[in-house]
Amino acid sequence: MVEIRKRPFRLAVRILGILTAILMLASGCGKGGNSSNQISDSSENIVMYLDGDAVSAEEYEMLVKEYCNQIYMQYTTDQVNREGFWEEEIDGNVPYMQLEDIILEELRGNYAIKRLAVELDVTDDYTYEDLLESMEDENDNGADASGEEVSYGLSSFDEASYYKYWYSNLETQVQSALIKEKIKVSQDDCKAYYEEHQEEFTYETGVSLLYAEIPCDSETQNQDAQATAMGLKRAMESTDSVEELEEAFDNVMFENLELNSLDTQTGTSGVYAQRWEIASQMTEGEVYGPYEANGALCVMRCTGRTENGTIDFEASMAQIERYLQVQNAQEMIVQEADGLKVKSGDITAKDIILRTISP
């Protein structure tokens, strides 16, 4: 379980900054309107309040640029190019109102995550201005790193990409904190889920394997390994006793594996995809190999095969427990978002939309 402690906001950003790299996203709606990083504290700069948390015009404008293409894609080129498009009712919808709905849903979700993060001591409270200052720090650090001979990872954020990056990571930490502090999933809960979703634990093909690997990183090793592998194959055709095989081949790694079409054990990057592809076609008693994979020569024997099998509850419980924990955490975030009360500010969302997308 990840331990989450309260950190000063700027330090929290630095820590989040090493968690994940993010694909830079183009805003895609460059129809004018450059947002400023200097945010006024005046109430005249506030578009709305979400349970008292102020949403600034700058934050709203950034989201307008980020999401306006979703509206454009719903209409023809002729409709989009008409004067007054955003305020025109088309097939029962008014485009600027549709964009308002999308942005409000995004804000509700993000501000719910933020409020829960503060409540759970994941981070101190912060404003959009704080986020922009932290983005500048991250970009400065990236610029310093890019001066080195070799630079890895994301070197620069824009406002929209940093916003997504921040809230994506913060949501992960909030979920972990909720699971640790507020969410309890019992064995009975897991059993009930297992019994109600049997189809999720039923597989088409299951294979029991005796799997062996012989390292062959160098050309000399490869020559020796080829000879060993051929002898190993003959031995595995005669026995599936790991003890006997280990005694005869002390330089070989042996492993008993249970694979099935729900749990192919191919590895996070698919390094063992070839193993499952071969094993899924094998019959009981069949020996396959040697074949080369991942710097080794591999030989395997199918010691059992099952069609239309079921993973038992004990083997599934940890997976079910984690799934239910994450589902409950996500539901708590949604409930928090739905419960946020919206109060209008001194500048309207419509004004920001029309100002931002005006040519």
Side-chain angles (χ1 to χ4, degrees), residues 188-227:
D188 288 343
D189 295 329
C190 295
K191 186 70 173 178
Y193 183 90
Y194 178 82
E195 292 175 350
E196 292 171 8
H197 300 83
Q198 276 288 297
E199 70 283 354
E200 296 180 17
F201 305 97
T202 301
Y203 55 82
E204 293 181 2
T205 302
V207 182
S208 300
L209 290 180
L210 173 57
Y211 176 74
E213 280 188 358
I214 307 165
C216 56
D217 293 333
S218 66
E219 185 174 344
T220 302
Q221 269 190 321
N222 188 53
Q223 293 174 352
D224 294 340
Q226 288 284 354

Side-chain angles (χ1 to χ4, degrees), residues 209-212 229 233 236-237 274-275 278-279 282 285-292 298-302:
L209 290 180
L210 173 57
Y211 176 74
K233 180 180 182 181
M236 290 177 69
E237 288 172 341
Q274 183 181 7
R275 181 176 67 189
I278 296 167
M282 294 176 70
E286 181 181 354
V287 177
Y288 184 92
Y291 68 95
E292 190 170 349
C298 311
V299 182
M300 53 189 176
R301 172 174 175 151
C302 177

